[in-house]
Amino acid sequence: MNIQRFNAPTAREALAKARHAFGDGTLILSNRPTATGVEVVATGEETLSALDTPESFADRSKDQPALRRATLPSVPETSTPVEEDATQLAMSTLSFQDYVRERMLRRRHESMTGPTAAAGQEAAPERAPKAAALPSPRQIEIQPPIKVTAVPKPAPVLAAPHAPALSQGIVNELHAMKALIEDRFNTLTWLGQARQSPIQSNLMLKLIRAGYSPTLARTILERMPEEMGATDSVRWVMDILERNLKTDVATRPIHEEGGTFALVGATGVGKTTTAAKLAGLCARTHGPASVGLITLDTYRVGAHEQLRAFGRMLGVVAHLAHDRAALQDLLNLLGNKKMVLIDTTGLAPNDPRKRGMLDVLDLPGVNRLLVLNAGGHGDSLDDVVSSFKSTGAQQAVLSKTDEAAKLGPALDAIIRHQLVLRGVTMGQKVPEDWEAADAAKLVRQSMRSPAKSAFDPKPADLDFFFTPASASQAGRLDA
């Protein structure tokens, strides 16, 4: 019988080798994981068709003893002749697995106890003929090589016509292939629409070059009316961005509204300088006695002294809190202040100390003010927002806008995560370098044609950005 074993690192490669050897009529008899990958046992339909004839079955039965002696010289002869076993192997593939297991158990027992105990095991092979009664479109006769060791777990048979059992690796690969096909079809659909509308292609390229994510850009352009011209479409896109960039333009500025705010964010985004600017604005409006300054930054060298220096410039005393209890006492002491600002330690999103710091700030009346670096990378900003985002409306301040080559990544993160922008900072002057958040101005600034950059995509690269947009990634948009 022409049965071959194929070994490969993955199930897909092993199946490809089997198909290459036997063609379209390949039948997989079993597969199992090995130390180097996956082993697949396969044969062809022609081989099984030849086995259905009585002549081939008789010839096979005559050749089995010689084949067994040639391949397994170490296996002792059993009391049951091979010819008798061959008559029991005319069964379906499913029942064959049970028969192999039973035969291996019997041979191992005989090798350990001797031929005298074989007489008591004559009834064991009777299970195989009963299992042979199962309906099967093909009758497979296989004499497997017997190895007297531990009894292995039978591998799933892929070619059996009754409910095939696939290994988990193949199932995962099939799911991945399905997702890849669906993704490719969605991409081709979008590309077909984009080729029919050059305006959408140009706008997509403009948004990508401005630093906006492909997810947000595609979500916006999918809702753009088809009858718009080039000029109107640009205005429409900018209007959508302005409408979805939430600011505090409808409320009082943060320094006039007052309250207790803890400035949180990554390292080096300008939390201490931003706290000093807000304190200066509040002191200018309501007087120095209306402001309270607290710092929790006991890790960075000189952090407390820096905030104290800003406080001396403004006529405000800066306090230091080492733990949650000290912070609670200071908040009770400064309860009559118009605005209380808490400067925190800058921590990376994956820093294990972040959870402890946020627990310290989990006090009644303490609002978190997320400080985002306007020049940060889109993925880094996404990670920071997701890490420091709190329940309810999350407020944010955009810092270092004068150092940002592109404002698109920062505005993209604010829009997709539905943050409320409370202000924009630039420079080191306290408190002059502070501006109210103006959505129209920020969007116009982000959409200006940037200078030539090695990171700007070419029109031919657009295929790499047309990925399906999901509601969870894009967020809610008001079109």
Side-chain angles (χ1 to χ4, degrees), residues 71-110:
T71 55
L72 294 175
S74 61
V75 178
E77 293 293 335
T78 63
S79 59
T80 303
V82 179
E83 288 80 0
E84 296 179 7
D85 294 337
T87 60
Q88 300 173 358
L89 289 175
M91 60 186 73
S92 66
T93 307
L94 292 176
S95 59
F96 171 72
Q97 298 291 335
D98 295 332
Y99 173 73
V100 171
R101 188 187 309 111
E102 196 69 41
R103 183 176 176 82
M104 293 177 70
L105 285 171
R106 179 163 50 85
R107 282 182 172 273
R108 184 180 183 184
H109 181 72
E110 292 175 2

Side-chain angles (χ1 to χ4, degrees), residues 233-276:
S233 62
V234 174
R235 292 198 189 100
W236 184 86
V237 169
M238 296 181 66
D239 180 65
I240 292 296
L241 291 173
E242 294 173 15
R243 191 184 310 169
N244 288 275
L245 182 59
K246 297 182 179 181
T247 64
D248 60 350
V249 65
T251 60
R252 291 188 299 169
I254 186 172
H255 58 275
E256 294 183 4
E257 176 185 329
T260 302
F261 294 93
L263 283 75
V264 297
T267 305
V269 296
K271 296 185 297 298
T272 304
T273 306
T274 301

Side-chain angles (χ1 to χ4, degrees), residues 128-465:
K130 295 180 181 179
L134 294 176
S136 177
R138 294 189 180 92
Q139 298 297 324
I140 302 176
E141 184 267 319
I142 302 175
Q143 183 65 35
I146 306 300
K147 187 175 182 180
V148 185
T149 55
V151 180
K153 182 180 179 180
V157 182
L158 302 184
H162 308 283
L166 299 177
S167 65
Q168 187 62 35
I170 297 179
V171 172
N172 294 337
E173 290 184 10
L174 291 176
H175 284 304
M177 187 181 301
K178 177 183 176 183
L180 179 63
I181 293 174
E182 292 178 352
D183 178 74
R184 191 57 184 169
F185 272 116
N186 292 334
T187 301
L188 291 175
T189 302
W190 169 255
L191 288 176
Q193 297 175 356
R195 291 190 183 98
Q196 296 176 1
S197 177
I199 294 177
Q200 284 193 2
S201 300
N202 294 333
L203 284 176
M204 170 66 82
L205 186 60
K206 186 175 181 65
L207 289 170
I208 296 298
R209 284 177 172 172
Y212 290 94
S213 66
T215 299
L216 180 64
R218 178 172 175 172
T219 303
I220 294 175
L221 294 180
E222 284 179 343
R223 305 184 183 189
M224 188 180 72
E226 299 179 357
E227 65 276 4
M228 280 190 176
T231 305
D232 294 337
S233 62
V234 174
R235 292 198 189 100
W236 184 86
V237 169
M238 296 181 66
D239 180 65
I240 292 296
L241 291 173
E242 294 173 15
R243 191 184 310 169
N244 288 275
L245 182 59
K246 297 182 179 181
T247 64
D248 60 350
V249 65
T251 60
R252 291 188 299 169
I254 186 172
H255 58 275
E256 294 183 4
E257 176 185 329
T260 302
F261 294 93
L263 283 75
V264 297
T267 305
V269 296
K271 296 185 297 298
T272 304
T273 306
T274 301
K277 292 176 181 178
L278 287 174
L281 292 173
C282 186
R284 178 186 294 178
T285 305
H286 304 284
S290 63
V291 183
L293 288 177
I294 303 174
T295 179
L296 297 177
D297 194 352
T298 59
Y299 180 77
R300 185 165 56 94
V301 177
H304 184 209
E305 294 300 328
Q306 182 183 5
L307 191 63
R308 277 185 173 178
F310 282 127
R312 285 193 294 268
M313 294 170 51
L314 303 173
V316 179
V317 178
H319 304 272
L320 175 64
H322 292 276
D323 52 21
R324 180 188 176 96
L327 178 61
Q328 182 67 71
D329 293 340
L330 288 174
L331 290 176
N332 294 335
L333 180 65
L334 304 174
N336 60 339
K337 303 291 184 180
K338 177 69 175 179
M339 173 176 278
V340 178
L341 299 170
I342 305 173
D343 185 24
T344 63
T345 306
L347 297 174
N350 57 351
D351 195 314
R353 298 173 298 167
K354 177 180 65 67
R355 182 70 265 166
M357 185 195 71
L358 295 180
D359 291 340
V360 172
L361 298 175
D362 191 13
L363 294 172
V366 177
N367 303 302
R368 297 181 192 174
L369 189 61
L370 180 61
V371 182
L372 295 175
N373 184 2
H377 190 271
D379 291 335
S380 301
L381 293 172
D382 254 359
D383 197 13
V384 170
V385 174
S386 301
S387 177
F388 288 95
K389 194 172 184 179
S390 59
T391 57
Q394 175 69 57
Q395 306 178 73
V397 171
L398 200 58
S399 66
K400 301 184 179 182
T401 56
D402 56 325
E403 301 177 8
K406 296 179 181 180
L407 288 180
L411 299 185
D412 181 273
I414 294 173
I415 291 174
R416 286 187 295 103
H417 291 278
Q418 300 291 297
L419 306 183
V420 179
L421 192 59
R422 300 303 304 267
V424 177
T425 69
M426 74 295 295
Q428 298 293 324
K429 294 182 180 180
V430 177
E432 290 79 10
D433 291 338
W434 172 278
E435 288 184 359
D438 187 345
K441 179 180 178 180
L442 291 172
V443 171
R444 287 196 303 270
Q445 186 176 350
S446 68
M447 294 294 289
R448 290 174 185 169
S449 299
K452 293 293 183 180
S453 170
F455 299 95
D456 288 338
K458 304 296 186 294
D461 300 333
L462 277 180
D463 292 4
F464 298 104
F465 296 101

